[in-house]
Amino acid sequence: MKRGYELQTGEKEGCCDACIRCLGRIPYASLIATILLAAGIAVFCGSFYTAVIQTRTLFSFDFRSVTDNFFNLTEALKWSAVGITAFMGVYAFILLLIGFLATGASKEKKYCGFGTGLGSRITVAFFLVLTYIIFIGWLLMSCMGVIPSLFFYLTVIVKATPYTVGNQNCLNLQQFGLDVVFNTTNNNTPGNTALGSNMWEYCGNDYNKFQADGFQLFNLYIVALVGALVVTISLVHYLTCLSVNYAHLKNMARSNKYKDTNNYHGHEEQELHSY
């Protein structure tokens, strides 16, 4: 009975040791960065994709029509969001894989030796530079995301300079420089000059629709901006992880070189003593 208890106890200790070893191979910092990036990119893609479509609809409903350049811009932004999401998903998987390879016992098995150690440092350095470039891109994207948020904040939340004509509220988008969005006649004047019928003028029911849809678009752009900021923060985490992994690999290469040198001198001393 006592022997059986010891075997059972040994099995339990063996399972605990195996679990500890497995947990020690998990790159927690890279895993947290991956979760942040996945959440941020999902929020950004969903909200930004919907916001771009609804923005084009808001500027082209009723008798209005947008220019070909604005239409092509919205199409490019819409599909760019999908492409960026796919790219960032694959890139996050690669960085997480690098984190696993550079953590714990996996580092000792995969990155030992001069050749593999040098190649691993070059790989980590390459992704470190690439991640920094992507970080700059997302930082600029976050700054650009403030523009539509600010526009709908001024027009919907603050309701900048609306004017009243015949007990109807009106909003003229020319004051924001958005008259270039709409198609006009050849002499750059609106096709219909009646009050409330200019393409960039929203009055009455059009004004109410602009306020209702604009409030929803304001929320969507704010959510997209938050998603972009979360992605930017996750990239900062990745930069930290890659920098630490590069330092660890460099120190490990020096340690292996030091061990090889000691082993070489040890063999020489044994040969001298044998003579």
Side-chain angles (χ1 to χ4, degrees), residues 52-67 70-71 151-152 169 171 173 181-183 196-214 217:
V52 169
I53 295 177
Q54 292 187 8
T55 300
R56 187 173 64 191
T57 303
L58 180 62
F59 288 158
S60 61
F61 80 96
D62 203 2
F63 60 88
R64 297 170 180 83
S65 62
V66 296
T67 60
F70 183 77
F71 180 84
F151 167 74
F152 285 106
N169 291 325
L171 177 66
L173 298 183
V181 171
F182 304 104
N183 278 322
S197 298
N198 293 342
M199 290 184 180
W200 48 73
E201 192 175 46
Y202 290 77
C203 290
N205 293 330
D206 290 350
Y207 177 81
N208 296 331
K209 178 177 175 58
F210 186 91
Q211 293 296 312
D213 294 350
L217 283 169

Side-chain angles (χ1 to χ4, degrees), residues 98-112:
I98 292 176
F100 272 105
L101 293 177
T103 302
S106 299
K107 175 178 64 177
E108 301 294 336
K109 293 181 180 180
K110 300 297 181 182
Y111 289 157
C112 61

Side-chain angles (χ1 to χ4, degrees), residues 25-27 30 93-112 120 123-124 127 245 248-249 252:
R25 297 182 181 182
I26 297 176
S30 297
F93 175 78
I94 294 174
L95 293 182
L96 183 61
L97 181 61
I98 292 176
F100 272 105
L101 293 177
T103 302
S106 299
K107 175 178 64 177
E108 301 294 336
K109 293 181 180 180
K110 300 297 181 182
Y111 289 157
C112 61
S120 63
T123 301
V124 173
F127 280 102
N245 289 335
H248 285 172
L249 294 174
M252 188 178 65

Side-chain angles (χ1 to χ4, degrees), residues 227-250:
L229 291 175
V230 171
V231 174
T232 305
I233 294 173
S234 69
L235 291 173
V236 174
H237 280 247
Y238 275 125
L239 287 172
T240 304
C241 296
L242 289 171
S243 300
V244 172
N245 289 335
Y246 182 83
H248 285 172
L249 294 174
K250 189 173 182 179

Side-chain angles (χ1 to χ4, degrees), residues 105-184:
S106 299
K107 175 178 64 177
E108 301 294 336
K109 293 181 180 180
K110 300 297 181 182
Y111 289 157
C112 61
F114 174 76
T116 54
L118 180 61
S120 63
R121 294 199 301 276
I122 293 175
T123 301
V124 173
F126 170 77
F127 280 102
L128 182 62
V129 175
L130 183 58
T131 303
Y132 183 78
I133 295 173
I134 296 175
F135 164 76
I136 296 297
W138 275 98
L139 188 62
L140 295 176
M141 193 180 301
S142 300
C143 295
M144 293 179 63
V146 176
I147 298 175
S149 302
L150 180 61
F151 167 74
F152 285 106
Y153 174 78
L154 293 176
T155 56
V156 177
I157 306 301
V158 180
K159 298 182 180 179
T161 60
Y163 53 93
T164 304
V165 178
N167 296 325
Q168 290 185 345
N169 291 325
C170 294
L171 177 66
N172 196 322
L173 298 183
Q174 280 183 305
Q175 60 186 316
F176 300 100
L178 293 182
D179 51 322
V180 297
V181 171
F182 304 104
N183 278 322
T184 57

